[in-house]
Every structure is written in C-alpha cells, then in structure tokens.
Amino acid sequence: MKAKLGASALLITIALAPLTGCSMNDTEKAIPFAGTSTSRSAADQMEKVSSQIYDLIDVKGKASDSSPGITDCAGKDREKHFRVFHSWSFYPTSPSQLNEAMERLKGELPKSGWKIVEYGPDTSKNRNLSLTADNDEKKTSLNISQRAKNDPPKLSLMLVSGCYEIPAGQEIERF
C-alpha cells in the first residue's frame, strides 16, 4: 500500500507541475503564493471551487465522489508549505451531452474569473479535447480533459492550488 501511495503521489506531482502559473510569462515561472492556511481549510476551499465548476457545467449528469489531497510545494520546505489538488470526473446522463458540457465550461469559465490559457486536442493517442485555465484570484489552475472514447464518456477535471504556508504552530495534514 505504501509503495502504491508513493507512486500515486509522484504521478500527481508530475501532473500538477505545469498546472499553476500557466498564464505567467517565461521570466516568471514561480508557483503563486495562495496565502496562509491549514491544509484542512485549504482543502475545504478547493471543494468549494470544484462545486462552482460543477455548477457551470449545467448539464444533467453526476460527478465522481472524490476528496482533495495535499502535496508538496516544489522547492519549498515540506514542513511549512503545501498545495491542494482535487481530481474528479463528470459523467453526463447522455454521452451526446459531453460536447455540450465542455462547450459550456469553455464559455462560462471566463465569466467567472478564469483565464483559458490552452484549448485543443492533447497529445494522447485519442487526441482528447483539453482545456487549461487559471484563476488568479483563487490562485488555482484547472485542467479538463474530454474523454469521449471512455466507457462511459466523461470529463476528467484536475484542480491545483498555488503554494500555501501553514500557520505558525500548526502542522500540515497530508491526505
């Protein structure tokens, strides 16, 4: 179990690395500072952001049941800094609504403070439609991959925060 968890943490870290700071210019590659918070409070905040995105989809369907997790903040003291990630999926009631869900997000995210920094097919064999967006106010990045060839078809969503600092005297809960 520990080896599996370690491998999962490594894969998540690799997947998250390019997500925050996508809209920054080439001279500024630092992950944004998200503020001071406990890991539990930051995770609760990430769940709220995910719920807001779910509401923007506005297509009948269901979301997977997943919770946010905590990961290291690259280049920072792991005892004082952390990031929050939340990976979840959306399954439309009808596969024909998958395109509608992605188009709604593409149109509604900018109205809610998100800046779309990348949109188009990914480099996978299936050439999945992918959208990456940053929200500077929420210090959060989002990647959505439209998995039309999955059974059942779905949207895979990954949100990741900027770097948080744990308040003095507190410890980071890792979950």
Side-chain angles (χ1 to χ4, degrees), residues 83-121:
R83 295 171 79 184
V84 181
F85 65 90
H86 191 200
S87 177
W88 55 281
S89 298
F90 174 77
Y91 301 89
T93 302
S94 165
S96 63
Q97 293 176 302
L98 192 63
N99 285 338
E100 180 184 349
M102 188 67 145
E103 283 300 312
R104 284 206 42 81
L105 286 168
K106 182 182 172 194
E108 294 299 318
L109 284 167
K111 296 176 188 175
S112 297
W114 293 87
K115 178 182 178 188
I116 296 176
V117 295
E118 191 173 331
Y119 183 80

Side-chain angles (χ1 to χ4, degrees), residues 22-67:
C22 293
S23 65
M24 295 180 179
N25 63 39
D26 289 341
T27 60
E28 188 180 323
K29 293 281 186 191
I31 296 168
F33 180 66
T36 301
S37 178
T38 64
S39 48
R40 185 66 58 190
S41 179
D44 290 347
Q45 199 53 36
M46 183 64 80
E47 280 191 301
K48 288 178 185 173
V49 174
S50 287
S51 289
Q52 292 166 354
I53 291 168
Y54 178 82
D55 291 344
L56 293 177
I57 293 172
D58 199 28
V59 169
K60 287 186 180 181
K62 66 178 184 170
S64 61
D65 187 20
S66 66
S67 298

